[in-house]
Amino acid sequence: MKKKNLLSLILIQAFVCSALGQTPAPIPVAPARSSQQTRRPATTQDEDEVVRITTNLVQLDVSATDNNGHQITDLSPDDFEVREDNRPQKITNFSYVSTEAGATTATAAAAQPAATSQRPATRNAPPVPPVPLRPEQVRRTVALVVDDLCLSFESMHFVKGALRKFVDEQMQPGDLVAIIRTGGGAGVLQQFTSDRRQLYAAVEHVRWLPNTACGVSAVAQIDTSREPATEDPNVNPTNPAQDIQDRINEQTRDREGLFEIGTLGVIHSIVRGMREMPGRKSLILISDSLKIRTYRNIMGNPRVSSNESIAEPLRRLADLANRSSVVIYTMNATGLQTLWLTAADNTAHLSADQIEARLADRRRSYVESPEGLDYLARQTGGFAIRNMNDLGGGLRRVVEDQKGYYLIAYHPEGSNLGSPGSYRRFHKISIKVKRPGVKVRTRSGFYDFSDEGTRTVRHTREEQLLGALISPFNANGVSLQLTSLFANDAQFGSFMRSFIHIDAHDLTFTDDGDGWHKSTFDILAMTFGDNGQMVDQVGRTHTIRIKGDTYNKIMQDGFVYVVTVPVKKPGAYQLRTALRDTASERVGSASQFIEVPDITKNRLSLSGLLVSGVEAARETPPMPQPAPAATTPDAAQTLARSAEGESEDVDTQAGPAVRHLRKGMTLRYGYAIYNAQLDSAALKPQLLTQVRIFREGQLIFTGQTQHFNPSSQADMKRLLAGGALKLGSDMRPGEYVLQVIVTDLLAKANHNTAIQWIDFEIR
């Protein structure tokens, strides 16, 4: 990254070609309170905790459904009977909370953007730009946890299909969703997003892991070819085949136990991270197995015992989920299976009795496998989905169940809760409904200690920056706007160049004598991979010292900080940045999802789009013809220098970091084209380019298809391109998307088109 003594304002020198004459056409022009219960929308965690356990109050969420799983919403306090440790409790607070979009309050409705589903309204339209959700806009927070430590190859295929269907059809405005793999390691909060692109990328990286607890098939196959020879001196001579099988089963159980402990550890981290998140919180665990009991055959004597290495972590996890207001739903991905002999079984050298014994082991394992999944769901107010081959239908059941819930609170009689963190007596809660045909679910109970004093408070600089960085919400103590663009350089490879616009009003400037003003801030930028693991980071402390017109200008328009991060391999990434004002300790953050193509595959690709706006009176002449080949710079370097140019007349608000344009402006854009195929005779590409503009997913302008002229550019694998559009004076204020389509007439049909887009706003 280019170092400077002073943070400067940024100017994009736009690239002008024959598109300059094109002009986009103008664009065509809370429920009432009832006497029985309070009905209200979901609120943030700080405003109204769902589950609260203190020394004098217990508050719980309760789901009430009919026999078909549909919500019952008209119950009153008199319909419920609450007991703690079998002692009746008097309900002191009661309400029904709806998480459906129709329950939006007037304030939240005004704050909610018009298009948040990111579903394009027309075919081949770019996705509607994702608008980061604020905490008060979140209705549901959903963690889809794929237990790839215990999912068979067979199950994984159906799991990926169900996840895609959830993102396509079941994810709603106001949903904050994460797809997390238990084998993915650390990285939880930063994976929650409302951006479908990020979720699609996460689904693509869900894959079967060999050498884990589950194999290729959803149920274990009989395979005598893998068994050790019966000449082993440790084999029981009275029944060698069964003794060998018992030893194999013992090793398998030990191996499964290790992976199950790993799974529970990851889920514990997810639930702990979700504790302070808003909305109706749910965790959907998709796995083939989580056993509580173990079956052991010792010298022909079958014994069933509790797996204590799993049982105790399960109990603690359930209690943490209850205190964190997280409902756990579980899905046994094995579905319905035949447990008799199949063509995949190898029963060579086994007698009929031995085959029956193996089948009995298989049936027993099939029954035991989901017991831990059932336990977690039952203890936390969710439900378990098993013996069901339609995993997408199972997710629909969860979505239906998350539409609303009752909040019921009472003052426990004679409670004496212990200190935070000390597990004591378990208090069992039971709730019944007097109305016939209504099913209720709630949390099973709680351990005897209070939640008071257990909330996380961040004090140090590092804690404040990291807390803002990993949160799924943008901190607004300092207003930041982030734009990250992919590019590739022949010498340095692929990189992300990010422009961070900083509102100078949120920084603390002190007088430094002789008209100078000084401010110090910390900035931290991290790149995360598709599984939430950190890939790279840049952190610095900066002091800026300015005076006169420069100070007045950045106080009026803000300024832009540029970060360049190299990318070692292609894939889906999140760039997250946090800034902390040293004097006031105010913190701001921003994040962006970006996909980096694999340039080495020699397929047509585009860099990110650089966009800026220029007033008609200040337009500059078209970009001059490139210099001779010997002196023509690399396309990426040209784009980089264009993004780092300096001028006293820069309009920062209309620059590439903010892109707040005005009617009548000229919109200028630039990009690079990678891997264009060359004509064998002329050694020139044959490319067509076209631009389109969308508003809220609707196509409002289609530019002419134009032949791209590379002129005398030296690097035909990295071509510089661009153009300009005159914004119509009748274009309505609002959010827009500029889309660039490049078609390679020499490439194969399935790889001959590349599309890039970027959002901008007209004010």
Side-chain angles (χ1 to χ4, degrees):
M1 181 174 18
K2 186 177 179 180
K3 295 183 179 179
K4 299 182 179 181
N5 295 326
L6 178 66
L7 294 178
S8 62
L9 304 178
I10 303 301
L11 170 65
I12 295 292
Q13 299 173 347
F15 308 100
V16 183
C17 33
S18 57
L20 182 59
Q22 302 185 54
T23 303
I27 305 172
V29 182
R33 188 182 302 268
S34 86
S35 60
Q36 292 184 323
Q37 61 168 295
T38 302
R39 207 180 151 86
R40 56 191 175 83
T43 55
T44 66
Q45 181 82 356
D46 292 337
E47 292 174 346
D48 196 350
E49 297 172 311
V50 174
V51 176
R52 183 184 302 168
I53 302 171
T54 67
T55 55
N56 62 356
L57 179 70
V58 175
Q59 179 173 278
L60 300 168
D61 51 335
V62 180
S63 295
T65 60
D66 60 20
N67 292 327
N68 295 320
H70 300 306
Q71 293 275 317
I72 302 295
T73 63
D74 61 347
L75 298 175
S76 70
D78 294 335
D79 292 319
F80 287 86
E81 179 184 291
V82 180
R83 289 179 175 269
E84 179 186 312
D85 297 329
N86 207 30
R87 293 194 302 268
Q89 304 292 328
K90 181 181 178 181
I91 296 176
T92 58
N93 300 82
F94 182 89
S95 64
Y96 179 79
V97 181
S98 175
T99 63
E100 294 188 276
T104 311
T105 61
T107 303
Q112 186 77 3
T116 58
S117 69
Q118 298 173 252
R119 294 175 181 169
T122 61
R123 188 178 180 184
N124 298 325
V128 178
V131 179
L133 293 174
R134 295 191 296 273
E136 66 271 17
Q137 294 174 323
V138 175
R139 299 193 169 279
R140 300 184 302 188
T141 298
V142 182
L144 292 160
V145 181
V146 180
D147 185 17
D148 54 357
L149 295 178
C150 194
L151 270 174
S152 67
F153 179 85
E154 179 183 343
S155 297
M156 188 64 76
H157 170 76
F158 297 104
V159 169
K160 293 187 70 171
L163 293 175
R164 291 191 191 98
K165 195 168 186 178
F166 177 88
V167 178
D168 281 338
E169 302 175 7
Q170 296 160 13
M171 185 176 169
Q172 300 296 321
D175 284 355
L176 198 66
V177 180
I179 297 174
I180 304 169
R181 295 177 285 123
T182 56
V188 176
L189 285 184
Q190 59 268 28
Q191 297 186 69
F192 282 93
T193 181
S194 59
D195 188 342
R196 276 186 167 83
R197 298 171 304 154
Q198 184 174 329
L199 295 173
Y200 285 130
V203 173
E204 289 305 311
H205 285 81
V206 170
R207 56 178 59 91
W208 176 64
L209 298 180
N211 300 319
T212 55
C214 296
V216 174
S217 176
V219 295
Q221 303 300 321
I222 300 173
D223 188 2
T224 58
S225 65
R226 299 172 124 186
E227 297 178 359
T230 57
E231 288 78 8
D232 190 328
N234 295 319
V235 172
N236 184 350
T238 61
N239 192 350
Q242 185 59 49
D243 189 65
I244 291 171
Q245 184 61 37
D246 292 341
R247 292 168 58 193
I248 293 175
N249 291 343
E250 187 75 19
Q251 294 173 1
T252 302
R253 280 190 294 268
D254 292 342
R255 182 178 176 81
E256 288 175 350
L258 291 175
F259 287 111
E260 288 169 348
I261 291 172
T263 293
L264 291 179
V266 173
I267 298 173
H268 193 279
S269 298
I270 297 170
V271 172
R272 188 173 60 244
M274 294 176 71
R275 179 163 193 162
E276 298 180 13
M277 298 182 71
R280 178 63 163 163
K281 296 179 286 189
S282 61
L283 184 150
I284 306 171
L285 173 60
I286 308 173
S287 178
D288 276 355
S289 175
L290 189 59
K291 295 181 179 179
I292 298 178
R293 295 183 300 165
T294 59
Y295 173 85
R296 300 175 185 271
N297 192 323
I298 303 175
M299 297 303 290
N301 297 315
R303 297 180 183 177
V304 178
S305 60
S306 173
N307 187 353
E308 289 301 327
S309 63
I310 299 298
E312 182 58 25
L314 274 174
R315 285 191 287 267
R316 291 181 176 270
L317 174 58
D319 187 63
L320 177 64
N322 289 338
R323 293 175 181 275
S324 303
S325 305
V326 177
V327 180
I328 298 180
Y329 301 87
T330 60
M331 298 180 65
N332 183 6
T334 58
L336 286 170
Q337 295 285 336
T338 176
L339 302 177
W340 299 101
L341 286 177
T342 68
D345 292 321
N346 180 359
T347 60
H349 311 302
L350 294 180
S351 67
D353 290 342
Q354 290 168 343
I355 293 175
E356 177 55 35
R358 301 293 177 89
L359 292 175
D361 286 343
R362 177 189 287 175
R363 290 191 291 269
R364 185 181 301 107
S365 177
Y366 181 79
V367 171
E368 292 174 352
S369 292
E371 287 180 342
L373 302 176
D374 296 348
Y375 174 85
L376 278 178
R378 186 171 58 252
Q379 296 296 108
T380 60
F383 52 74
I385 299 169
R386 55 192 299 188
N387 299 327
M388 185 176 184
N389 290 339
D390 182 9
L391 298 183
L395 290 177
R396 279 197 305 272
R397 285 184 56 193
V398 174
V399 171
E400 176 69 24
D401 192 64
Q402 289 282 296
K403 287 183 177 179
Y405 56 95
Y406 290 91
L407 273 180
I408 297 177
Y410 64 89
H411 297 293
E413 297 291 339
S415 254
N416 185 19
L417 299 184
S419 59
S422 60
Y423 280 80
R424 298 189 177 183
R425 187 165 66 91
F426 183 79
H427 294 270
K428 183 178 180 180
I429 294 176
S430 63
I431 296 182
K432 295 181 180 180
V433 173
K434 302 171 185 177
R435 183 188 297 183
V438 178
K439 297 180 179 180
V440 293
R441 295 189 324 278
T442 190
R443 304 172 189 275
S444 61
F446 59 93
Y447 283 95
D448 193 8
F449 72 88
S450 171
D451 281 343
E452 295 168 315
T454 61
R455 296 294 172 182
T456 301
V457 179
R458 298 183 175 95
H459 298 287
T460 68
R461 177 185 66 175
E462 290 75 15
E463 289 174 343
Q464 292 170 354
L465 282 171
L466 190 59
L469 202 67
I470 66 174
S471 171
F473 307 109
N474 291 341
N476 54 12
V478 178
S479 179
L480 304 180
Q481 184 165 339
L482 173 66
T483 299
S484 296
L485 305 173
F486 155 76
N488 180 272
D489 182 272
Q491 181 179 358
F492 300 104
S494 296
F495 61 90
M496 286 187 288
R497 176 144 302 192
S498 301
F499 307 101
I500 307 169
H501 178 264
I502 303 169
D503 188 340
H505 284 103
D506 296 329
L507 299 180
T508 303
F509 283 90
T510 57
D511 292 334
D512 200 34
D514 198 23
W516 289 93
H517 304 271
K518 183 173 71 173
S519 179
T520 302
F521 60 88
D522 307 303
I523 191 163
L524 178 63
M526 286 187 178
T527 307
F528 295 92
D530 64 277
N531 61 352
Q533 292 185 338
M534 187 186 71
V535 176
D536 205 346
Q537 67 172 332
V538 176
R540 291 176 182 170
T541 298
H542 289 279
T543 298
I544 59 175
R545 190 167 177 266
I546 48 180
K547 66 185 300 186
D549 292 340
T550 303
Y551 172 75
N552 295 332
K553 187 165 185 60
I554 74 163
M555 293 303 292
Q556 175 181 333
D557 297 330
F559 60 95
V560 175
Y561 184 92
V562 181
V563 177
T564 301
V565 179
V567 179
K568 298 178 182 178
K569 62 180 183 179
Y573 294 91
Q574 291 181 72
L575 181 68
R576 291 177 169 263
T577 183
L579 183 146
R580 174 182 177 272
D581 179 53
T582 303
S584 66
E585 295 189 351
R586 288 191 296 265
V587 177
S589 65
S591 64
Q592 184 175 330
F593 171 80
I594 188 169
E595 292 182 279
V596 177
D598 190 349
I599 298 296
T600 63
K601 288 186 176 180
N602 200 32
R603 294 177 181 174
L604 185 68
S605 303
L606 302 181
S607 73
L609 299 179
L610 292 171
V611 168
S612 63
V614 181
E615 295 286 3
R618 295 172 51 194
E619 291 185 23
T620 57
M623 187 175 67
Q625 292 295 319
T631 59
T632 299
D634 178 271
Q637 296 175 3
T638 302
L639 288 173
R641 281 199 294 273
S642 297
E644 291 182 350
E646 297 180 33
S647 170
E648 292 297 324
D649 297 324
V650 165
D651 186 346
T652 306
Q653 292 296 310
V658 183
R659 304 182 301 285
H660 288 170
L661 311 184
R662 295 179 292 278
K663 292 181 288 186
M665 268 188 163
T666 297
L667 181 152
R668 300 174 179 268
Y669 60 93
Y671 59 98
I673 305 172
Y674 303 114
N675 294 329
Q677 302 300 308
L678 304 181
D679 180 86
S680 58
L683 297 180
K684 295 287 186 179
Q686 294 183 19
L687 301 171
L688 299 177
T689 65
Q690 186 183 45
V691 295
R692 303 197 295 178
I693 293 180
F694 295 80
R695 188 179 192 274
E696 297 180 0
Q698 299 286 347
L699 178 64
I700 64 163
F701 170 76
T702 301
Q704 300 173 2
T705 300
Q706 300 181 0
H707 287 273
F708 173 75
N709 180 12
S711 187
S712 57
Q713 296 190 48
D715 188 352
M716 290 295 168
K717 287 295 182 181
R718 296 171 179 82
L719 296 166
L720 195 64
L725 296 168
K726 184 78 172 180
L727 299 178
S729 59
D730 295 328
M731 295 181 74
R732 282 191 299 163
E735 300 284 343
Y736 293 81
V737 172
L738 172 70
Q739 183 187 62
V740 173
I741 304 172
V742 177
T743 303
D744 190 341
L745 300 179
L746 300 177
K748 294 181 180 179
N750 55 338
H751 299 300
N752 68 344
T753 302
I755 300 175
Q756 190 59 273
W757 61 273
I758 193 169
D759 60 304
F760 65 95
E761 184 177 351
I762 293 181
R763 293 193 165 187

